[in-house]
């Protein structure tokens, strides 16, 4: 399927939904392609598509995310030392129960919907606005990177508390009985600020991650889908490549974020650090003291394995819902 425009004849015909796979857009010239929806479409289109994509992305890949969190542990329990993603999943299921890799998934689902709704809506709006300023009528990669970075500010403001709770639930021998127990305990013992202790580190990681991610995605789309049609295979492939490149490049920052979120007791006590670790600089220093340069890349395999299908799912689901919602709206207002 593809979403494309058709030009009315000299007699001034009306654009309509054709019998074939193409979808003509009323009142739109051929400069308006699938990737940038008609300006008459409400941002709610992007928000609904983004929410669906975020929930699907995080739930499908959640078990691998649980493994990534554990593999990034700087001083793990001997019973929680893993050599591979598959080996970790197998041991978690056999020793801790079938549902253990999914522990904390409910708080992730609650955060992922609104976070990704704002994320994609902001990205689409800023992408169009900045592209018109930087490269009028074209697709500016600089605009894509800046738009992705700005969208991250909204996304992380919603997701950071969910990420803190999720990662504490994922750790080996987590002391929390449920998501609500974790929220109450963290708030009571560490204060509300604990939910945003890693926010600056999260932004420091996600701003370059999303800038790289969106730029690589758009470049890949230009190479394999230059007409910007609705093509699921191209969205999956572009998303996977973009996710893998961005994930590998930003793994050191992800390790620091995990340390700040989990406040790993064994690791901090081994350096005689009392109280709670805070701040990106302190996290970087602590990671280096605990394992040198290699420590910054703990869990890189799990992170790439998680991010490749994760971003592929996110983009394919997002682009599908963009297509589906737009097609539905156009069919409703097109006379037959």
């Amino acid at each position: 399927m593809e979403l494309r425009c058709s030009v009315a004849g000299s007699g001034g015909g009306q654009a309509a939904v054709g019998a074939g796979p193409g979808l003509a857009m009323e009142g739109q010239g051929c400069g308006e392609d699938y990737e940038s929806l008609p300006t008459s479409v409400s941002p709610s289109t992007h928000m609904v598509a983004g929410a669906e994509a975020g929930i699907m992305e995080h739930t499908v890949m959640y078990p691998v995310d649980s493994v990534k969190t554990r593999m990034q542990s700087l001083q793990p329990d001997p019973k929680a030392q893993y050599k591979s993603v598959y080996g970790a999943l197998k041991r978690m299921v056999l020793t801790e129960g079938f549902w253990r890799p999914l522990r904390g998934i409910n708080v992730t689902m609650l955060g992922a919907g609104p976070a990704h709704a704002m994320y994609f809506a902001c990205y689409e709006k800023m992408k169009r606005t900045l592209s018109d300023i930087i490269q009028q009528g074209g697709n500016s990669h600089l605009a894509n990177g800046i738009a992705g970075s700005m969208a991250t500010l909204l996304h992380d403001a919603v997701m950071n508390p969910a990420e803190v709770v999720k990662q504490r639930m994922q750790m080996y021998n987590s002391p929390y009985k449920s998501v609500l127990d974790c929220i109450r305990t963290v708030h009571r013992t560490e204060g509300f600020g604990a939910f945003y202790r890693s926010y600056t580190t999260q932004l420091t990681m996600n701003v370059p991650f999303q800038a790289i991610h969106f730029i690589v995605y758009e470049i890949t789309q230009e190479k394999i889908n230059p007409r910007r049609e609705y093509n699921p295979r191209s969205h999956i492939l572009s998303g996977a490549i973009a996710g893998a490149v961005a994930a590998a490049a930003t793994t050191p920052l992800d390790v620091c974020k995990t340390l700040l979120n989990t406040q790993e007791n064994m690791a901090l006590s081994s350096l005689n650090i009392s109280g709670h670790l805070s701040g990106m600089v302190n996290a970087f220093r602590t990671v280096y003291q605990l394992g040198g340069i290699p420590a910054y890349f703990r869990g890189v395999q799990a992170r790439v394995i998680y991010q490749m299908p994760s971003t592929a799912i996110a983009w394919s689901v997002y682009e599908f819902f963009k297509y589906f919602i737009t097609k539905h709206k156009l069919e409703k207002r097109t006379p037959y």
Side-chain angles (χ1 to χ4, degrees):
M1 292 187 293
E2 67 184 76
L3 187 61
R4 63 181 181 224
C5 59
S6 60
V7 181
S10 57
Q14 187 178 35
V17 178
L23 179 63
M25 290 185 276
E26 182 180 354
Q28 299 294 326
C30 283
E32 188 82 74
D33 60 15
Y34 162 71
E35 284 290 317
S36 101
L37 294 178
T39 53
S40 59
V41 173
S42 168
S44 62
T45 297
H46 298 300
M47 296 185 76
V48 172
E52 296 286 349
I55 292 171
M56 186 68 71
E57 169 193 354
H58 284 284
T59 53
V60 171
M61 295 306 299
Y62 192 85
V64 181
D65 185 60
S66 293
V67 171
K68 175 186 74 71
T69 296
R70 292 197 179 190
M71 292 183 79
Q72 288 179 335
S73 176
L74 297 169
Q75 299 231 337
D77 186 287
K79 295 179 182 178
Q81 294 180 357
Y82 314 109
K83 295 181 179 179
S84 68
V85 174
Y86 173 75
L89 277 173
K90 183 178 179 181
R91 192 191 299 182
M92 286 172 70
V93 170
L94 292 177
T95 61
E96 302 174 56
F98 181 79
W99 298 108
R100 189 62 180 85
L102 295 177
R103 199 159 187 257
I105 192 173
N106 45 352
V107 72
T108 298
M109 291 176 66
L110 287 173
H116 281 73
M118 292 189 291
Y119 171 72
F120 277 106
C122 178
Y123 171 70
E124 294 281 6
K125 174 65 176 176
M126 297 311 301
K127 169 187 169 182
R128 287 196 300 268
T129 302
L130 293 173
S131 287
D132 286 343
I133 295 172
I134 297 172
Q135 187 177 327
Q136 192 168 13
N139 181 29
S140 167
H141 297 310
L142 176 60
N144 297 334
I146 296 173
S149 300
M150 295 177 71
T152 301
L153 297 174
L154 292 176
H155 173 274
D156 287 3
V158 175
M159 267 315 273
N160 204 85
E163 191 78 6
V164 171
V165 175
K166 178 203 76 173
Q167 290 198 307
R168 294 197 182 208
M169 297 290 290
Q170 289 173 331
M171 293 297 286
Y172 181 74
N173 275 341
S174 173
Y176 309 106
K177 297 178 181 178
S178 66
V179 166
L180 283 176
D181 176 51
C182 181
I183 294 171
R184 291 192 187 111
T185 303
V186 172
H187 185 267
R188 184 180 67 252
T189 59
E190 302 177 44
F192 180 78
F195 295 106
Y196 283 94
R197 187 179 288 129
S198 66
Y199 184 55
T200 54
T201 301
Q202 182 100 334
L203 288 177
T204 304
M205 176 186 73
N206 280 347
V207 166
F209 175 91
Q210 298 301 349
I212 295 169
H213 166 210
F214 281 112
I215 290 172
V216 173
Y217 179 83
E218 297 286 353
I219 290 174
T220 309
Q221 279 288 287
E222 286 180 356
K223 299 296 182 184
I224 66 177
N225 186 19
R227 294 178 61 190
R228 294 306 180 100
E229 300 167 346
Y230 174 64
N231 185 330
R233 283 175 294 183
S234 79
H235 301 314
I236 291 171
L237 181 59
S238 298
I241 293 172
V245 172
T250 57
T251 294
L253 293 163
D254 194 41
V255 172
C256 294
K257 182 207 73 173
T258 298
L259 178 61
L260 287 171
N261 277 345
T262 60
Q263 297 292 307
E264 197 179 332
N265 289 329
M266 290 180 64
L268 298 181
S269 60
S270 68
L271 294 178
N272 296 318
I273 296 176
S274 59
H276 304 297
L277 184 69
S278 62
M280 182 185 64
V281 175
N282 290 332
F284 258 94
R285 187 184 302 117
T286 302
V287 170
Y288 183 79
Q289 290 172 335
L290 288 166
I293 298 297
Y296 291 117
F297 291 91
R298 289 187 68 89
V300 64
Q301 178 195 32
R303 179 165 163 78
V304 171
I305 290 175
Y306 165 78
Q307 206 66 56
M308 282 185 70
S310 180
T311 47
I313 291 168
W315 277 110
S316 58
V317 172
Y318 175 66
E319 300 291 4
F320 167 76
F321 275 98
K322 275 174 62 178
Y323 171 83
F324 178 80
I325 294 170
T326 306
K327 183 175 183 290
H328 177 69
K329 287 183 176 181
L330 290 173
E331 285 178 339
K332 283 181 68 176
R333 71 170 187 243
T334 302
Y336 290 93

